[in-house]
Every structure is written in C-alpha cells, then in structure tokens.
Amino acid sequence: MSSTASAKNGTWRNWGGNVVARPAREVTPASVDELAEAVRRAAEDGLKVKAVGTGHSFTSIAATDGVLIRPQLLTGIRKVDRDNMTVTVEAGTPLKRLNLALAREGLSLTNMGDIMEQTVSGATSTGTHGTGRESASIAAQIKGLELVTADGSVLVCSEKENPEVFAAARIGLGALGVVTALTFAVEPVFLLTAREEPMPFDKVLAEFDELWAENEHFELYWFPHTGSTNTKRNNRSAGPAKPVSRVAGWIEDEFLSNGVFQVAQWVGRAAPGTVPAIARLSSRALSARTYTDIPYKVFTSPRRVRFVEMEYAVPREAVTETLRELKTMVERSGLRISFPIEVRTAPADDITLSTASGRDSAYIAVHMVRGTPYQGYFTAAERIFTAHEGRPHWGKVHTRDAEYFAGVYPRFGEFTALRDRLDPDRLFQNDYLRRVLGT
C-alpha cells in the first residue's frame, strides 16, 4: 500500500486505516468539464458526491456510498503570475509536487504543515496548518479558487469575485462543491534556520509566551510520562544554507524518528508497562541540532509510522493551562501513552470555519499508533479541550456536532446559510457533514 489511501475491490480506506467506505462508483475526471459532468450525472442518478485526496483525514469527511471523485489527473501548475506573486494549481496536485515545482521556479509558500503527502485541495479543505506567529494555515494563503457546485456550474471565487463564497470555501469541508483549482500567494524562496533542542516541560510552559513572541515558527513535542519536551524554532535566515547531512538526516529523521520509534511503538503495544521507560529513552534520543535550508525541507518531515490523531485549537492564552491539565490527566489515568503530544500556534484568520477563525490559536495534537485502542485517551483529552472552547481539526478524530460548533464558531450560521444556497439538495452530504453541519 502506498503512502496514500487505498482502494481494493470497490472498498476505499483512509491512510490511518480507521475509515472504510464502499462507493457505488469511482470517477477520475481528466478535466474540469468531465468533473462537472460527473457531478451532474450523480445528481440525475440520485447519488451523493465526494471528492477524496490522499485519505490523510482521520474523520470520515471523504467517505461516501455514492460517487467518489478522485482528482489524480487534475494535477500540475496552471499559471505562475510573477506580477501578483501567485501560483494557480489543479486541485489534485500533491503538496510535495507543488513544493518541488515552486522551488524550481525560485518560489515558496510562506508557511506549511509538517507533512506534504496530501493534495492541495484536501489539505486546505480540512484546514491543514503548520505553526506560525504571523503566518497562518495553508488555506489562509489562498488568493482565489475554482469550485464545481451542485448544479454542475463552475464558480470562480476571490476577495473580489463571489467574496462570500471565498470566505467559506477556502476551508469548505467538501460541503460547498468540488474544488478544481487553487491560487496561492507565493514569495521568492527563502532560507529558514531550524533550531531543535530538548527543554524541560515546566520551563517551556513558564516561557511559552516569550518562545512564541521571539520566533516566527515555534513548536514543541512533549513526551507523556516524562518532564521532557523537544522544541523546534524556525526563523528566516540570511544564510548560507547548511542542510542536515545525509547521514545525520538519516539517523535523526529515518532511524530515530521513524525506525526506532516504530520499534518502540511495537514494544509498547506488546508490553504497555514499558511505555514510560521507552518515553524517557525517546525523549533523550533526539539531541539538539541546527540547520538551514529552503522552507519545505525545514517545515516538513517524513511520517512512516501510521497513527490515529485528535487535534484541537484552543485560544492561545489557554495553551499552558490546557497542557498542565493534560499532564495531570495522563498521570492519574493509568493510560500508557507512547506518542509525543505536538503543540503549534496560528494567528487569527478570517476564514469562516477555520480553527483559527477570529482568534489567535494554539493547537494540541494527541496521537496513538494505528491499531491501538485510542478511545479512552482521546475521550479524556477531548473533555479537557472542549472545556476551553476548543475547535477540533476537521480532518482529525473528534465527537463534536453542529450544536457544539454553533457555540464555538461565531460565523457558523453564515457557513450553513451559504451551503443551503449552493447545495440545497445536499448532493455533497455524507454522515460526517450531517453530524458537524446539521441537517
């Protein structure tokens, strides 16, 4: 099985292996016209429609028993506009290919997430983000988009054209139509210096505000059952480039972060009592290092250990309190958590259902290795997150519904009203959207 989701004998599975769907038919359109035709035909046949990327969502956001649209033929760069510093790409383009193509053009996105397997449309539609003091999610870098709506028409949106659709469709959850192309703001390629170093949990929490304020991109990984974190600061640099050497990169990123980590997960599954000791070893295995490279080589890293994840955005000022509560919960629960907890930040943005919509946010992500029972841990974590009016990542495990979202998103009604207008017959509906957006 490849790094993406798989389909065998009519069954579709996501990357995390926790979602299965059996679509009535699959369509791989080679053009926007073919996609629009597939949407019209589905409506005539009384079938629902879902576009799916690489299946990196842990929710059933892309699952359907109707028509599954696969965008792998809708890939590549349509246009590089150096006057306006934008790049327009087809919706099925993997972020990996976009990053490589931009680098060849001497360009880069301003910020990105930590993996680049997803398609541009899948990543933006679910609100994929990295970490940043001023620079926001991938969707916040969108300057225009093209959407096939429920009646098969093609809608072009930007701040000037169909602005109310643009406000919502940048993170549209697949509920407003099928995205066919995206226009991103880009800038001349630049260098980032990454500084990774271990830091005690209590010290990070005590200094969190300074660490956030002093760095363009700050994130940390806390190893449960330990008082240790690994921190990462990425800041723009005048150079020169000093990439991680191939050998050091293999040792740190492949052997320790993926190989040894995978073995640690297996041991932890077989003998849960060993997890705290393994966590202490893991937290010490990663030593401090500094390197300088172009953005996508600093922001992203390979993830070969398959996992299931829950992530919530809490108000940034609540992050240290939330982390303390998580630590207390883990210590009292008897749970054995072998996966580090990841913490990132984002500035407020103006996208209707962005997890950072209208508020400076901190993201806290909890993971369990694929195949281990995660419900107990995730339920306990979710209780803490929701007490802080947390907003779950649309593509990661959560149990929230429309009633909850109406309370934590001031513009929730704006999104559902737009959906009523663009998709009155709910052609793009599935069980997940029924739950999170209501009927």
Side-chain angles (χ1 to χ4, degrees):
M1 190 159 135
S2 72
S3 65
T4 58
S6 70
K8 289 195 184 82
N9 52 29
T11 302
W12 176 84
R13 277 189 172 75
N14 69 337
W15 181 87
N18 64 320
V19 178
V20 178
R22 288 177 182 80
R25 64 175 182 246
E26 288 193 21
V27 184
T28 310
S31 67
V32 175
D33 289 344
E34 277 184 29
L35 196 155
E37 179 56 31
V39 167
R40 285 192 291 268
R41 263 196 61 202
E44 284 164 18
D45 298 345
L47 293 170
K48 302 293 187 194
V49 178
K50 274 282 139 229
V52 64
T54 53
H56 268 266
S57 288
F58 302 99
T59 58
S60 54
I61 191 165
T64 187
D65 56 5
V67 177
L68 192 70
I69 293 180
R70 292 182 166 272
Q72 62 255 45
L73 299 181
L74 298 173
T75 61
I77 291 183
R78 272 193 200 177
K79 185 183 179 195
V80 176
D81 180 343
R82 289 184 185 272
D83 293 335
N84 294 307
M85 288 306 278
T86 61
V87 170
T88 302
V89 282
E90 305 273 349
T93 310
L95 286 167
K96 185 187 284 178
R97 280 186 56 190
L98 173 62
N99 286 332
L100 286 167
L102 287 176
R104 277 200 299 270
E105 296 279 348
L107 301 169
S108 176
L109 293 171
T110 299
N111 199 358
M112 57 194 79
D114 56 10
I115 61 168
M116 50 178 182
E117 305 302 326
Q118 316 101 304
T119 60
V120 291
S121 56
T124 53
S125 294
T126 53
T128 298
H129 60 89
T131 189
R133 184 182 59 204
E134 287 105 13
S135 53
S137 71
I138 306 177
Q141 298 167 68
I142 295 174
K143 290 293 175 196
L145 61 87
E146 182 183 86
L147 190 71
V148 171
T149 57
D151 61 5
S153 61
V154 180
L155 201 60
V156 176
C157 322
S158 66
E159 278 174 6
K160 294 188 182 74
E161 209 172 349
N162 298 304
E164 74 297 340
V165 179
F166 181 68
R170 284 173 286 169
I171 299 180
L173 318 184
L176 305 174
V178 179
V179 175
T180 49
L182 292 161
T183 299
F184 291 101
V186 291
E187 57 179 304
V189 72
F190 53 94
L191 291 172
L192 282 172
T193 292
R195 181 172 149 208
E196 297 173 9
E197 65 175 337
M199 194 180 280
F201 180 82
D202 293 333
K203 182 176 163 70
V204 172
L205 265 52
E207 296 174 12
F208 189 87
D209 288 343
E210 293 95 279
L211 289 162
W212 170 82
E214 287 165 9
N215 295 285
E216 289 170 70
H217 310 273
F218 175 72
E219 64 189 297
L220 69 107
Y221 294 85
W222 166 53
F223 296 81
H225 313 294
T226 78
S228 311
T229 74
N230 205 43
T231 62
K232 185 174 179 182
R233 308 159 208 214
N234 299 330
N235 290 289
R236 293 196 184 213
S237 161
K242 282 193 193 131
V244 177
S245 79
R246 209 164 242 185
V247 173
W250 184 84
I251 291 170
E252 294 273 338
D253 298 323
E254 288 299 336
F255 182 63
L256 290 175
S257 296
N258 285 301
V260 171
F261 189 54
Q262 177 74 73
V263 173
Q265 298 301 318
W266 288 333
V267 173
R269 269 175 78 173
T274 63
V275 165
I278 291 170
R280 286 191 291 276
L281 279 174
S282 299
S283 70
R284 287 201 292 267
L286 296 169
S287 52
R289 64 174 180 169
T290 301
Y291 52 97
T292 302
D293 214 330
I294 62 173
Y296 84 85
K297 294 185 178 181
V298 174
F299 284 131
T300 68
S301 50
R303 290 275 188 280
R304 309 211 196 282
V305 179
R306 300 230 172 190
F307 53 82
V308 179
E309 180 179 1
M310 168 183 279
E311 181 185 64
Y312 267 76
V314 297
R316 206 191 69 239
E317 61 273 14
V319 65
T320 54
E321 190 186 335
T322 309
L323 285 167
R324 281 198 185 93
E325 289 168 15
L326 273 175
K327 190 169 194 281
T328 303
M329 178 273 287
V330 169
E331 284 164 0
R332 289 180 182 165
S333 65
L335 290 165
R336 293 285 175 257
I337 312 303
S338 57
F339 231 100
I341 290 174
E342 184 181 21
V343 182
R344 295 175 289 175
T345 68
D349 65 41
D350 63 349
I351 304 171
T352 318
L353 290 188
S354 164
T355 43
S357 184
R359 75 181 189 195
D360 291 344
S361 301
Y363 294 96
I364 303 174
V366 297
H367 310 69
M368 286 291 252
V369 74
R370 175 170 156 174
T372 45
Y374 58 83
Q375 284 81 359
Y377 175 37
F378 284 14
T379 301
E382 191 171 40
R383 208 171 289 137
I384 293 168
F385 297 144
T386 54
H388 292 283
E389 295 194 344
R391 298 168 176 171
H393 188 301
W394 296 108
K396 296 176 187 177
V397 176
H398 68 88
T399 65
R400 302 295 91 191
D401 60 13
E403 188 186 359
Y404 178 84
F405 291 124
V408 295
Y409 283 101
R411 297 166 66 190
F412 188 73
E414 197 182 303
F415 189 95
T416 53
L418 180 66
R419 181 188 186 214
D420 288 341
R421 197 185 97 202
L422 291 180
D423 187 14
D425 301 325
R426 300 292 187 260
L427 182 67
F428 302 113
Q429 174 89 286
N430 64 2
D431 290 342
Y432 180 77
L433 292 182
R434 199 173 285 117
R435 167 161 73 93
V436 302
L437 297 177
T439 50

